[in-house]
Amino acid sequence: MTHPGTIVNLGTYQGKVIGDGDIALVLSVPLDKKGSLPAFVKDIGPRLASVHYMYPELLPVGKTKAPLKSLRTAWERVQREIKTLCPQVKRIAVLGGTDVLRVLVPKLKGDIQDAHGTLFSIGDWVVVPLFPVNWAHQQQWQDKDVKRLLKLERPSEPLPHKSWLPNTFAGVDTLVIDVETDGESKGPDVSTHSLTSMGLQWSDTERAIITDHDVMSWVIKMVAESPPDNVVMHNAQYDLTFMGPEFRAATYGRIRDTMLRARSRGEHVATLKHLGVYYTRSPGNYAWAVAGQQHNYDDPAYICEDLDITWRLFKLWRNENTQSVELYEKCSTMMTEQSVAGTAIDMSMLDTIAVEGKQLEQELKAALTEKYGCDPGSDDLIPALESKGHKFGSFTKTGAVSLTAAVLESMGLDDIIEWRKAQKLDSAFVGKIKDLLRPDNTLPHHQKLCEADTGRTSMTSFNWQQAGRKGPVRKLLVSRFEGGSVASADLSQAELRGACYGANDAVFAAALNAKDMHRENAALAFNKLPDDISDDERTDAKTVVFRLIFGGSAQNDGQRAVEASFKQRFPKLMKWLDAQKSTAERLGQCVSAWGKVRKLDEVLDYRGRWAVGRAGVNAPIQGIASDFALWLTVRVWELMRSNGLKSLVLMGIHDAVLFDIFPGEYETVAQLLRVAFAQLGALLRQQFPIASVLPITAEMQVADNWADTKSGEKLMFSTNEGMDV
């Protein structure tokens, strides 16, 4: 047999016979410069019958990948080659991306990330798409795909399901629920979607699929009346939307979410199809798809695979009940309620906001141009920032300097962030708001748990997290209640205090309890009295603190002076930060205090070892700060519901909680929030010794709209109030 590595025929579509096995390898991606075959070929070994190339050597000018027309032609030729050269072939491994997958199964709605490793039936062959490895951290996925290619058999028929249901699930320990909707045709507002089918599974082999709307309503009511201990979903925030408020109330605390458990354990990809391929022996959600036929998510075979994969994943991760998992699964119900309720909008402001925003954008741009000596939107910005001592250590996957909001924030460049938000005001806010507004003038928003690598939440449709601190956008958010108000409770120094908890540094705790730590740090660094410190010197001091706890370092002379003083003043904190960095580099992952894992192999691929250390410091600190805010949010939400308040917890924005206050309930909401703070304090003091002298604190202010809360009277909150609670 010819050695596979010598078979190089790039630029043609002719296959090469290399053995008498039963597997054909089809390459729809270019080989490396040496023309070497992928490393996994050695695992296929004697079972490899032939190799076929689909990728043209010369691409059209301006193209980086083969045109679909070329791939379709190639696939037709490859099929003829296999039938002619190797009629004994039973399996075909196709190495490629989404484009070639769409060629193989033309009407498939999925992508290669979801469908890799799935067993497709094409003619008499079993075809398995393999994940193309662009980075080292993806190698594990391809290895798993190859093992599936060699071992898994396509079952003779899909998983069976029943057409009947038990009269009750009261004696059932675990119930998996999966719903299909018409959401694809309804747009981003989940509340406008409707159920089309519902799948349930309550044992290893017992499952049912329902399409009758009356029966689905009966099931929802039945489960709400006698909910099992574990009601399992994958992406519960979406599925719970269609269950109704009674169901959400009855199952609260019993919801288990395999997507959140995957995220919490550090999975880079948490789609059900990917997890099913990687962790179970399922043939894949698309195993029953037939080339040329329209794929339908309501297909019983598809739903049964979803149910069974979710069932198996929960069995696998059932005991992974970290503090983070328990918190996130509670938040999934709360955030569903918040998405359904939405936020009220001041319609009179909506048409004038673009005018105010344009004026703000021009003012901010003029200030930045004067400050940095260049147009902030030009290529001159990076050299201008470098000339002022800023160093860039973050890069995009293409190698360009990264100027994301997170990078700018870590560098203390909030002014550029605010200008960018003002730039996008009309396109990113006004237009989207008008498209999303419901008939009752409420605006939907969908807050996603664990979407950010650090563990922080993200938000879509509508994304209030992008509303600038300055400008008119926040003025839009008003109370839905006549005579009502909006309140905002903002946590103070949550990330710095989280770092202090991890380091257990009493000296740093004392500094954080001071009136203005950043001014004091600057005074010590520059040998001045605190009152003599300039705004720029205080900004340098503040920037240094955040850069250090996020794994960075000083960038100009002033910052370097502060950094040297800071390290000398807080050696215990610095030792802990260094230990976090070293552990992350050694293990390739980091873990927050409440158990949220972030795997850093992807960071190593994209940005290198230095970035791994930085992420190993950054992620646990941001993660625990986010968890503190989420804990308070969901706890006060529980207390408000149990006390029958009409006021609403609208959402969390970074380290703040927003409330829609019913007339006359502000003082009661404040009292319940005070109880939540006290209860969090009791929890923190058990886990972090330093919490007894360094509380988590917040200020709550109220006004007619969100923007004006900043000028409202302040109520102060602390986790060290009511230590006997």
Side-chain angles (χ1 to χ4, degrees):
M1 184 174 75
T2 308
H3 190 276
T6 65
I7 302 173
V8 180
N9 198 24
L10 194 62
T12 75
Y13 297 116
Q14 296 179 1
K16 296 294 180 180
V17 179
I18 62 174
D20 56 3
D22 64 345
I23 296 175
L25 173 62
V26 177
L27 300 170
S28 68
V29 293
L31 301 180
D32 62 27
K33 293 180 180 178
K34 297 180 181 178
S36 301
L37 290 174
F40 68 77
V41 167
K42 68 179 183 298
D43 298 321
I44 299 177
R47 293 186 61 177
L48 186 59
S50 57
V51 178
H52 309 261
Y53 302 97
M54 291 177 64
Y55 201 94
E57 185 175 20
L58 298 176
L59 294 175
V61 176
K63 297 289 185 180
T64 58
K65 56 185 179 181
L68 284 177
K69 182 178 180 180
S70 174
L71 290 176
R72 291 190 189 102
T73 302
W75 175 234
E76 292 300 323
R77 293 182 181 179
V78 164
Q79 291 179 82
R80 290 197 297 270
E81 289 173 3
I82 294 173
K83 290 177 181 177
T84 302
L85 300 174
C86 304
Q88 79 278 13
V89 162
K90 302 296 183 185
R91 293 170 181 260
I92 302 175
V94 180
L95 182 64
T98 299
D99 287 343
V100 75
L101 183 64
R102 300 280 169 80
V103 169
L104 268 59
V105 190
K107 295 186 179 181
L108 188 71
K109 296 178 181 177
D111 58 24
I112 191 65
Q113 182 169 282
D114 282 344
H116 69 97
T118 291
L119 306 185
F120 285 91
S121 175
I122 298 179
D124 294 329
W125 300 309
V126 168
V127 179
V128 179
L130 305 183
F131 205 104
V133 175
N134 299 317
W135 302 98
H137 73 275
Q138 295 172 333
Q139 182 65 53
Q140 57 186 323
W141 301 342
Q142 189 181 84
D143 292 345
K144 180 75 74 168
D145 292 347
V146 172
K147 290 177 181 177
R148 289 169 64 83
L149 169 73
L150 296 174
K151 295 180 180 179
L152 276 187
E153 296 292 338
R154 186 176 187 271
S156 59
E157 58 184 16
L159 291 169
H161 64 278
K162 300 178 183 297
S163 57
W164 55 268
L165 288 165
N167 291 324
T168 179
F169 288 111
V172 172
D173 173 76
T174 300
L175 174 66
V176 172
I177 301 177
D178 178 58
V179 302
E180 300 299 333
T181 73
D182 58 2
E184 282 194 333
S185 62
K186 292 291 185 68
D189 184 1
V190 177
S191 68
T192 65
H193 303 177
S194 301
L195 285 178
T196 56
S197 59
M198 176 186 294
L200 302 103
Q201 182 161 336
W202 56 94
S203 77
D204 287 342
T205 58
E206 293 179 293
R207 61 190 70 83
I209 297 174
I210 310 161
T211 56
D212 184 279
H213 283 82
D214 290 338
V215 178
M216 285 191 276
S217 297
W218 173 78
V219 170
I220 292 170
K221 182 179 179 181
M222 178 181 66
V223 176
E225 289 175 349
S226 301
D229 289 338
N230 302 289
V231 180
V232 186
M233 302 173 178
H234 191 83
N235 190 8
Q237 275 182 259
Y238 184 81
D239 290 2
L240 283 170
T241 305
F242 310 98
M243 302 290 108
E246 292 80 10
F247 181 97
R248 293 192 288 267
T251 58
Y252 181 66
R254 301 169 185 259
I255 295 296
R256 314 289 178 241
D257 191 328
T258 49
M259 185 183 76
L260 292 179
R261 290 185 177 228
R263 291 285 189 196
S264 188
R265 67 197 317 273
E267 296 298 333
H268 297 305
V269 180
T271 63
L272 189 58
K273 301 168 192 64
H274 170 84
L275 296 172
V277 167
Y278 196 72
Y279 283 103
T280 79
R281 291 183 60 82
S282 163
N285 290 82
Y286 302 113
W288 315 106
V290 177
Q293 290 186 358
Q294 182 68 48
H295 175 72
N296 184 3
Y297 290 126
D298 284 316
D299 188 308
Y302 181 94
I303 297 174
C304 285
E305 290 295 336
D306 266 357
L307 288 169
D308 197 54
I309 291 170
T310 306
W311 177 271
R312 295 188 194 199
L313 290 175
F314 179 66
K315 287 180 67 176
L316 190 64
W317 300 333
R318 182 185 183 117
N319 295 322
E320 295 185 7
N321 296 311
T322 62
Q323 283 178 278
S324 289
V325 165
E326 292 178 357
L327 174 62
Y328 300 154
E329 289 179 338
K330 285 185 176 181
C331 286
S332 65
T333 299
M334 175 189 70
M335 289 180 175
T336 300
E337 297 277 0
Q338 292 169 343
S339 295
V340 171
T343 50
I345 298 298
D346 184 347
M347 297 300 295
S348 64
M349 275 287 299
L350 191 56
D351 291 330
T352 61
I353 190 174
V355 177
E356 292 187 23
K358 186 63 176 177
Q359 181 179 349
L360 175 67
E361 188 271 333
Q362 292 172 348
E363 292 173 357
L364 293 176
K365 182 177 181 179
L368 291 173
T369 301
E370 181 178 355
K371 181 176 181 179
Y372 297 115
C374 68
D375 184 327
S378 70
D379 293 337
D380 297 330
L381 180 62
I382 291 175
L385 293 173
E386 289 175 334
S387 71
K388 291 184 176 294
H390 294 288
K391 294 181 180 178
F392 296 92
S394 296
F395 301 91
T396 66
K397 296 176 183 179
T398 61
V401 171
S402 174
L403 282 181
T404 64
V407 171
L408 293 172
E409 185 178 16
S410 71
M411 298 170 68
L413 298 171
D414 292 344
D415 49 1
I416 298 177
I417 296 174
E418 290 300 316
W419 168 70
R420 285 184 176 179
K421 289 178 178 178
Q423 262 192 317
K424 298 177 181 177
L425 186 64
D426 192 47
S427 61
F429 292 103
V430 177
K432 288 184 178 179
I433 288 173
K434 290 182 176 180
D435 289 341
L436 288 168
L437 266 179
R438 296 165 175 164
D440 62 355
N441 291 337
T442 59
L443 189 65
H445 64 276
H446 184 61
Q447 197 160 7
K448 297 182 178 181
L449 289 156
C450 300
E451 286 290 309
D453 289 330
T454 57
R456 287 195 173 275
T457 63
S458 63
M459 190 177 289
T460 59
S461 304
F462 174 74
N463 188 354
W464 283 108
Q465 290 183 347
Q466 289 185 342
R469 295 184 181 92
K470 300 178 181 179
V473 176
R474 294 190 178 194
K475 290 183 181 180
L476 287 172
L477 199 159
V478 295
S479 175
R480 75 196 59 222
F481 306 116
E482 185 176 352
S485 54
V486 175
S488 175
D490 293 14
L491 271 62
S492 303
Q493 301 176 322
E495 289 152 337
L496 298 180
R497 291 171 190 250
C500 188
Y501 284 5
N504 194 31
D505 188 340
V507 180
F508 191 45
L512 289 169
N513 279 324
K515 182 178 180 181
D516 189 338
M517 181 188 72
H518 303 307
R519 188 170 294 278
E520 289 192 5
N521 284 341
L524 291 170
F526 300 123
N527 196 25
K528 293 182 179 181
L529 293 174
D531 290 343
D532 295 334
I533 291 298
S534 68
D535 289 343
D536 286 344
E537 288 170 332
R538 185 186 181 281
T539 296
D540 276 341
K542 181 178 180 179
T543 300
V544 165
V545 173
F546 280 97
R547 286 193 63 79
L548 289 174
I549 69 164
F550 290 158
S553 59
Q555 295 186 325
N556 57 41
D557 290 342
Q559 291 180 12
R560 280 188 279 274
V562 176
E563 180 179 11
S565 173
F566 188 92
K567 288 182 175 180
Q568 186 176 16
R569 188 180 179 193
F570 306 115
K572 190 171 184 179
L573 172 67
M574 296 310 303
K575 183 177 180 180
W576 179 78
L577 293 174
D578 289 341
Q580 290 288 108
K581 185 180 297 186
S582 298
T583 300
E585 292 175 346
R586 176 169 52 85
L587 299 179
Q589 68 176 38
C590 57
V591 185
S592 77
W594 284 2
K596 167 71 171 66
V597 177
R598 182 181 179 186
K599 295 179 181 178
L600 300 171
D601 48 359
E602 188 175 25
V603 176
L604 180 64
D605 278 354
Y606 293 157
R607 299 186 176 94
R609 182 179 173 84
W610 173 85
V612 169
R614 180 168 183 165
V617 174
N618 177 8
I621 292 174
Q622 284 207 51
I624 197 62
S626 175
D627 284 354
F628 291 162
L630 284 173
W631 196 98
L632 287 166
T633 305
V634 77
R635 184 61 188 128
V636 73
W637 176 77
E638 292 172 338
L639 291 168
M640 287 168 61
R641 286 163 63 92
S642 63
N643 282 271
L645 269 65
K646 295 181 180 178
S647 298
L648 302 174
V649 181
L650 289 177
M651 61 187 137
I653 301 288
H654 304 305
D655 296 331
V657 186
L658 292 184
F659 301 89
D660 189 349
I661 305 295
F662 187 79
E665 289 188 352
Y666 179 59
E667 292 181 359
T668 306
V669 170
Q671 179 57 34
L672 295 179
L673 182 59
R674 206 170 296 282
V675 171
F677 263 85
Q679 292 174 343
L680 176 61
L683 175 65
L684 294 180
R685 288 188 293 275
Q686 294 176 9
Q687 190 169 359
F688 306 104
I690 205 72
S692 61
V693 296
L694 181 68
I696 299 297
T697 62
E699 300 172 348
M700 185 160 77
Q701 297 165 279
V702 65
D704 290 336
N705 62 72
W706 181 17
D708 290 347
T709 57
K710 286 298 180 184
S711 57
E713 183 180 352
K714 295 179 181 178
L715 290 179
M716 310 302 295
F717 298 83
S718 168
T719 52
N720 280 359
E721 285 187 39
M723 287 191 179
D724 58 337
V725 175

